Amino acid sequence: MPDLKGTKGFQYLEGSRFDRISIEKRQRPAIAPVEPFKHYPRAGKIPLPRTWNIAQENLTPLLQHRRSLRKYNSEPISLEHLAFLLWASQGITGQAGKYLFRTAPSAGALYPVETYISVHSIEGLTAGLYHFDAEHFALDRLTEQDAAEAVAQACLDQKFMAQAAVVFLWTGIFRRAMSKYGDRGMRYILLDAGHICQNLLLAAEAVGCGGCPIGAFYDNELNNLLQIGGEEESILYAASVGGKILSGADALPL
Ligand SMILES: Cc1cc2nc3c(=O)[nH]c(=O)nc-3n(C[C@H](O)[C@H](O)[C@H](O)COP(=O)(O)O)c2cc1C
């Protein structure tokens, strides 16, 4: 098997990176678009009931109200709420032999995704970059300077991100999954990151906050901020989280 850099999975990730120079020249891909919904006009249509009771009290409102939020109030988030968000996205919840299981599923229970946070406004926590130590349920302080502006700039200058109380940054440590699954491992790593982000967004909703998933970033700029090389470990996904401005809804609930 080729080593990491020689794999199709790694080459795909590398070939789809954004950077400030190539993004200027970027054109829409020459791939024809398709309709957003798939229709089976000849199939019998069975209307579904909307009267379920299962978990209605707990999960339904979170799913119904989650919306990507890009306007935040200036209230800091409490440390307890931040801890809950970290637990909900990547907390350890069980053990079977040598395997420690977490709130989000992971292919082969290999957990290739690492969590970092850029703290801007959390009660009792100095602004800066931190790594989440899932094993000890603790934060490792990496820097003591507010990185909110730098993170927003590295995310294609999406200015709202600098107003978020905290930005979650998820990286992949590729060998964790690819040493077992090869190229297919890259697929699993990206899927894992999606599960983690969705857990975070629902948890944010549960504590009266909102979040926005972020896939647009200059990979190497975020890697540099986190002081990771981009080969063994590289940024995959991010999400900003902050308190809600109640009138700031972008979409009407259906
Ligand atoms: C993989 C992925 C990447 C995204 N990247 C961004 C982003 O960089 N900036 C942004 O403002 N929203 C981003 N979004 C949010 C989408 O725009 C949003 O999910 C979509 O408009 C649907 O709205 P909803 O999340 O409120 O349901 C991203 C969403 C996903 C799933």
Side-chain angles (χ1 to χ4, degrees):
M1 193 188 111
D3 204 11
L4 206 51
K5 264 195 126 168
T7 61
K8 290 196 196 80
F10 187 80
Q11 283 162 7
Y12 160 70
L13 198 79
E14 200 162 51
S16 59
R17 281 181 181 169
F18 279 166
D19 64 68
R20 284 180 195 267
I21 295 163
S22 64
I23 206 162
E24 294 289 325
K25 300 182 215 135
R26 213 173 135 257
Q27 291 174 340
R28 289 232 163 234
I31 300 170
V34 289
E35 292 299 316
F37 293 102
K38 197 167 175 191
H39 299 287
Y40 285 90
R42 280 191 286 275
K45 189 120 12 235
I46 299 111
L48 290 166
R50 287 181 178 271
T51 48
W52 58 83
N53 289 317
I54 314 148
Q56 201 152 18
E57 292 284 304
N58 300 318
L59 192 55
T60 307
L62 304 180
L63 291 166
Q64 172 69 47
H65 294 129
R66 184 213 59 81
R67 201 77 298 134
S68 290
L69 190 75
R70 301 179 183 85
K71 286 177 192 153
Y72 308 107
N73 66 31
S74 52
E75 295 291 305
I77 293 180
S78 70
L79 190 58
E80 286 73 20
H81 282 177
L82 175 70
F84 171 68
L85 297 178
L86 287 162
W87 176 82
S89 49
Q90 272 296 266
I92 293 172
T93 49
Q95 182 166 15
K98 64 175 183 157
Y99 291 101
L100 293 172
F101 296 113
R102 304 198 189 180
T103 47
S106 172
L110 294 170
Y111 306 101
V113 176
E114 287 291 314
T115 304
Y116 299 81
I117 53 172
S118 167
V119 167
H120 178 54
S121 182
I122 302 289
E123 264 167 23
L125 212 52
T126 310
L129 294 170
Y130 295 79
H131 167 255
F132 174 52
D133 175 350
E135 194 183 1
H136 302 102
F137 200 59
L139 288 171
D140 303 313
R141 181 179 289 134
L142 304 182
T143 68
E144 293 193 23
Q145 265 199 337
D146 195 341
E149 289 286 348
V151 167
Q153 280 167 21
C155 293
L156 273 64
D157 215 7
Q158 300 189 68
K159 297 199 188 322
F160 70 89
M161 291 181 68
Q163 309 307 319
V166 58
V167 174
F168 284 65
L169 299 160
W170 292 292
T171 68
I173 297 190
F174 304 115
R175 276 179 210 278
R176 284 198 194 142
M178 293 180 77
S179 58
K180 178 170 182 189
Y181 295 118
D183 277 323
R184 199 166 180 89
M186 184 61 83
R187 200 195 276 230
Y188 295 156
I189 293 168
L190 300 174
L191 292 168
D192 276 20
H195 289 297
I196 293 167
C197 184
Q198 179 71 355
N199 276 16
L200 172 74
L201 297 173
L202 293 176
E205 192 62 42
V207 296
C209 291
C212 185
I214 301 290
F217 43 74
Y218 302 117
D219 303 56
N220 288 340
E221 292 189 18
L222 285 182
N223 286 342
N224 289 343
L225 279 173
L226 296 174
Q227 296 186 13
I228 53 174
E231 191 176 321
E232 292 293 322
E233 180 178 3
S234 185
I235 187 76
L236 301 173
Y237 204 12
S240 50
V241 176
K244 283 186 179 175
I245 297 175
L246 291 175
S247 60
D250 292 344
L252 296 172
L254 290 178

